[in-house]
Amino acid sequence: MTIDFTKLHHNFETSLTSKMLPTIWCSGCSLGSNLQSIIRGAKQAGYDFDHDIVMISGIGCTGRASGYVNIDGFHTTHGRALPFATGVKNGNPDLEVIVFSGDGDLFAIGGNHFIHTARRGTDMTVICNNNSTYGLTGGQASATSFEDTVTPTTIGKNDKPFNLVDLALGAGATFVARYTTAQYNTLPRVIAQAMRHDGFAFIDLVSGCPAIYGKRNGYPTGEYMIKNFKEASVEIDTSDPSYLLSENTAIEFDRKVGYTKIPIGIFRSSTMEGKF
Amino acid sequence: MSEPRILTGEHLISGNEAVAEGALAAGLQGYFGYPITPSTSIMERVIKRIQKIDDRISFVQMEDEIASITAVAGCSWTRKKAMTATSGPGFSLMQEGIGLAGFTETPLVLVNVMRGGPSTGLPTFPGQQETMQAHFGSHGDYLIPTLVPSSIQECFDFTIEAFNIAEALRTPVFVLSDQIISVLKERLIIPEADEIEIVNRASPSNPKITFKGEEIDVDFVPPHNAFGEHEKSFATGLSHDPSGHVDLSADNYEQLIDRLHNKIMKYQHLMPQPDLFNIDDAEIVLVAFGSTARACRRAMILARKEGLKVGTFKINTLWPFPKEQIEKVEQGRKILVVEMSRGQLIWPVERYVHKHVHHLAYYRGQIPTPSIILDKIRKVLGGDNK
């Protein structure tokens, strides 16, 4: 079958910077779907793409996203999306600031910035496309790689991964959620809620890198990955007070089959006095 | 009780306080910083003052210097005048953000109050060891205007100049002060607000701006399309085309690097020019900047009393280096570079002075006193070439 690409349309074509397409992202990657969820979320929340929103990104596959969306944006240096966003929000508090970055950028090189930005409660929405690897540099172990997985920088076992929900809660984020790429129906609503949240909102968006990390570690294709996300996702029960315990928020992974448990939901959504 | 932004009148204040007053007079709207001696009193003065000023001036104490410079850049992209101040170790950490700001043509002001290095070095004794780092500290090819005050009045004046250059040329600008100037107190005269030239960067709707009576060429300095202003604004630390989007092609990259260099060189004459003292009949000229330039002037006065024909070439804009002026001065005269480093200022001087350059490298965490400089002058004039 031949596909006439000139006749293909994208539902959110006007929200994308056409001259930058196609993206650098591999087939099966979560990032395209995640980006669409953000566009849908921002539209649902009622923001005007002409002047209401700024998207700040760091370095890595995810970093390129700010250049693909047709809104104001800045592609910063590695790990520095949050301090840049802090400057933007303080410079113009009327802007809705979205930080769209990856686990390596936000939690390894940028980890210190994350805890401090959360602590200050600067009003912004931070979405971590958490695929547990450095995709752009070839799939090395990241701060969220699982212990028993294989990467080019693994000797025996990886170090223990961060539980990003636990970390965000501890650092004082006032909106904390986790979903996977597979919840593309729920995500826009949650993202809209995070954007409207007056304070530091964080979403651990569990994503996959089937082309590199997944191929080595139990989810070789995008199709398998989405199925895996759906099967492993467990909605948290907020009526049980123990749902916030670390062991109940942790993601579990088995190198043979992929994800085995992903606790999803909104872990915290408290209103705080607006900083701006 | 509110205070005016510009404290017109006569003051007895320190160099760091004068820098803060200069920034406020220039229209400061955002300060992001991290404490480090001897720069901290700039931040403290800004905080003390902004609480009494009616305008909205944001301040965030950041988690480190990398965050500080990056937040300053972020604030600048909302068309706000923003700054930070630091000292040696913090300046090293900021190099990443300096490269980003230079490459994305982000106007900002960074004040580096020099102390002895390397590493934690000599807290907090004076040094001038970031002379070359200000030029070559971040990776890649770039050029950032660097102003070097040597008096409290210049701390004030050059900080305003720094903001104006930053806005006019869309570039980061450094003010390189040092530990002596930072705590030194002397008279500062702050003029009436309407006597101070304030430059605001060009925008797509207002592309023509002038700086010191000269119109800035948009082919060299494109108007700043900031966030939230109805025209899509995008920038990246990657090589980019004029719209700001990624373009890694060879021709585009070369043109971009050239334009970023050329826009600074084209307007070099609008930056503070060197002060020349007693050059005409001088047999020897002292070349220095910052606090050592003060000691040199004193040494020159003492030497003249002995009948020695000494002049002083006081650098006010370190980068781009005042090449043409030093070439004129060196003709028929001996050149003596005086600096608080083992040998940094001598590099550009040797590049443009086509003969042996004498050197007083004083790296002891102390300023070379006028008598030490005078001693060196006597030796050089006596034929000692060491």
Side-chain angles (χ1 to χ4, degrees):
Chain A
M1 188 180 80
T2 51
I3 300 170
D4 184 357
F5 285 97
T6 59
K7 291 203 173 119
L8 288 179
H9 290 282
H10 189 280
N11 291 347
F12 296 97
E13 220 166 55
T14 54
S15 307
L16 298 170
T17 308
S18 52
K19 75 166 181 176
M20 296 312 293
L21 303 178
T23 70
I24 63 160
W25 301 329
C26 308
S27 144
C29 176
S30 283
L31 293 175
S33 170
N34 293 351
L35 188 61
Q36 187 179 139
S37 291
I38 286 169
I39 293 169
R40 288 165 64 200
K43 287 198 182 289
Q44 238 180 66
Y47 292 109
D48 183 337
F49 278 36
D50 275 345
H51 51 84
D52 282 353
I53 316 185
V54 179
M55 186 190 275
I56 315 295
S57 62
I59 293 291
C61 299
T62 318
R64 296 297 186 91
S66 57
Y68 297 146
V69 204
N70 197 17
I71 58 177
D72 288 352
F74 202 97
H75 181 206
T76 65
T77 39
H78 195 20
R80 316 303 170 210
L82 289 171
F84 192 91
T86 299
V88 172
K89 189 67 188 177
N90 277 277
N92 184 353
D94 295 335
L95 289 170
E96 172 59 29
V97 177
I98 310 166
V99 171
F100 185 80
S101 207
D103 45 296
D105 192 80
L106 285 169
F107 291 98
I109 191 166
N112 196 34
H113 305 312
F114 181 86
I115 56 174
H116 286 279
T117 317
R119 171 178 70 83
R120 283 184 208 113
T122 311
D123 184 9
M124 60 174 80
T125 302
V126 179
I127 292 161
C128 177
N129 298 267
N130 176 11
N131 63 5
S132 304
T133 195
Y134 290 90
L136 197 60
T137 49
Q140 295 79 14
S142 85
T144 59
S145 286
F146 302 98
E147 280 179 274
D148 290 315
T149 54
V150 174
T151 79
T153 51
T154 305
I155 300 176
K157 255 180 163 193
N158 294 319
D159 298 327
K160 205 174 159 221
F162 267 139
N163 173 346
L164 300 186
V165 164
D166 210 23
L167 183 67
L169 290 169
T174 45
F175 181 98
V176 180
R178 180 194 282 133
Y179 285 92
T180 78
T181 300
Q183 281 90 37
Y184 44 77
N185 284 328
T186 318
L187 266 172
R189 178 175 55 75
V190 175
I191 290 168
Q193 199 180 334
M195 285 178 180
R196 282 192 295 251
H197 176 77
D198 186 13
F200 186 86
F202 173 67
I203 301 174
D204 177 10
L205 179 42
V206 178
S207 309
C209 174
I212 305 175
Y213 186 73
K215 201 174 271 173
R216 293 174 179 138
N217 298 296
Y219 64 92
T221 64
E223 190 189 356
Y224 181 95
M225 175 189 82
I226 294 293
K227 211 165 137 249
N228 183 207
F229 280 158
K230 282 189 171 163
E231 284 168 3
S233 294
V234 186
E235 216 34 88
I236 51 165
D237 176 6
T238 52
S239 66
D240 176 359
S242 74
Y243 80 99
L244 284 178
L245 293 178
S246 298
E247 59 262 38
N248 295 333
T249 58
I251 297 172
E252 290 167 17
F253 194 90
D254 178 339
R255 202 190 152 222
K256 291 188 195 75
V257 294
Y259 293 84
T260 51
K261 185 187 167 197
I262 309 173
I264 60 163
I266 296 171
F267 293 81
R268 180 188 285 163
S269 176
S270 55
T271 47
M272 61 180 290
E273 273 184 49
K275 249 201 118 128
F276 298 99
Chain B
M1 206 183 75
S2 73
E3 275 178 10
R5 193 183 248 279
I6 301 176
L7 295 178
T8 303
E10 240 178 272
H11 305 265
L12 178 69
I13 60 174
S14 70
N16 275 358
E17 290 168 323
V19 165
E21 291 304 329
L24 290 165
L28 180 74
Q29 291 161 305
Y31 190 105
F32 303 82
Y34 187 83
I36 183 167
T37 313
S39 76
T40 314
S41 53
I42 296 174
M43 181 161 75
E44 289 179 348
R45 174 81 174 198
V46 167
I47 294 161
K48 194 174 152 194
R49 288 272 283 122
I50 63 179
Q51 293 178 80
K52 295 176 189 165
I53 297 174
D54 292 334
D55 304 353
R56 183 181 177 279
I57 303 172
S58 34
F59 166 76
V60 181
Q61 183 171 331
M62 301 302 290
E63 55 274 20
D64 58 37
E65 287 91 345
I66 304 174
S68 302
I69 185 77
T70 315
V72 169
C75 187
S76 181
W77 273 80
T78 64
R79 197 176 293 285
K80 297 289 188 305
K81 293 184 182 179
M83 75 173 290
T84 188
T86 190
S87 297
F91 195 50
S92 290
L93 285 175
M94 288 185 184
Q95 293 305 320
E96 173 193 305
I98 290 163
L100 176 72
F103 205 31
T104 55
E105 299 184 70
T106 306
L108 61 84
V109 172
L110 194 173
V111 182
N112 178 37
V113 186
M114 292 184 286
R115 66 190 213 192
S119 188
T120 316
L122 283 175
T124 38
F125 305 107
Q128 290 178 322
Q129 297 160 358
E130 280 99 85
T131 300
M132 296 307 278
Q133 192 180 19
H135 195 319
F136 294 115
S138 196
H139 57 280
D141 293 327
Y142 66 94
L143 177 60
I144 291 177
T146 304
L147 312 187
V148 282
S150 72
S151 69
I152 279 32
Q153 188 67 46
E154 283 177 350
C155 283
F156 177 84
D157 294 345
F158 286 6
T159 303
I160 296 175
E161 290 262 12
F163 273 98
N164 287 347
I165 295 165
E167 293 286 315
L169 305 185
R170 273 191 71 186
T171 175
V173 178
F174 298 147
V175 176
L176 241 54
S177 171
D178 64 51
Q179 186 271 340
I180 290 178
I181 308 288
S182 76
V183 292
L184 177 76
K185 286 196 178 189
E186 61 186 10
R187 190 169 70 153
L188 167 69
I189 297 171
I190 300 183
E192 298 285 344
D194 58 12
E195 290 168 19
I196 300 172
E197 183 184 14
I198 302 291
V199 180
N200 295 314
R201 72 191 84 162
S203 65
S205 57
N206 183 25
K208 280 188 183 172
I209 59 159
T210 58
F211 176 37
K212 296 188 178 171
E214 194 162 329
E215 191 176 306
I216 302 299
D217 187 340
V218 292
D219 290 338
F220 284 81
V221 189
H224 191 209
N225 187 10
F227 295 156
E229 294 182 349
H230 297 259
E231 293 210 31
K232 294 288 161 26
S233 164
F234 181 74
T236 171
L238 283 160
S239 179
H240 43 274
D241 64 19
S243 79
H245 281 283
V246 180
D247 184 344
L248 307 183
S249 67
D251 285 352
N252 175 72
Y253 175 72
E254 188 184 39
Q255 283 162 16
L256 175 62
I257 294 290
D258 280 346
R259 183 176 62 74
L260 296 184
H261 182 85
N262 293 342
K263 74 173 181 181
I264 307 295
M265 295 311 293
K266 183 178 167 70
Y267 296 104
Q268 182 183 7
H269 62 283
L270 299 181
M271 301 171 196
Q273 299 300 298
D275 285 320
L276 312 182
F277 303 104
N278 297 334
I279 295 293
D280 290 347
D281 67 338
E283 279 177 52
I284 180 170
V285 176
L286 312 176
V287 178
F289 70 85
S291 58
T292 51
R294 300 171 71 100
C296 284
R297 278 191 69 185
R298 183 69 194 155
M300 173 185 78
I301 292 164
L302 296 174
R304 288 261 163 190
K305 282 183 183 161
E306 290 181 15
L308 302 174
K309 289 180 175 168
V310 179
T312 301
F313 185 91
K314 174 178 163 293
I315 297 166
N316 289 328
T317 300
L318 178 61
W319 307 116
F321 195 78
K323 168 181 179 285
E324 282 171 26
Q325 290 93 333
I326 201 131
E327 279 172 348
K328 273 183 207 153
V329 162
E330 66 126 334
Q331 287 160 18
R333 300 180 182 98
K334 289 178 191 286
I335 298 289
L336 171 60
V337 170
V338 182
E339 58 176 327
M340 283 188 284
S341 120
R342 200 168 184 283
Q344 296 200 20
L345 179 59
I346 194 165
W347 280 43
V349 177
E350 278 183 330
R351 187 173 174 201
Y352 300 119
V353 171
H354 309 285
K355 62 185 173 202
H356 179 72
V357 175
H358 300 275
H359 195 201
L360 175 55
Y362 204 77
Y363 42 99
R364 297 164 50 78
Q366 298 165 345
I367 188 167
T369 58
S371 60
I372 292 169
I373 299 169
L374 182 57
D375 206 35
K376 181 75 180 178
I377 293 168
R378 289 193 199 108
K379 277 185 190 160
V380 172
L381 290 177
D384 184 350
N385 269 350
K386 271 183 209 155

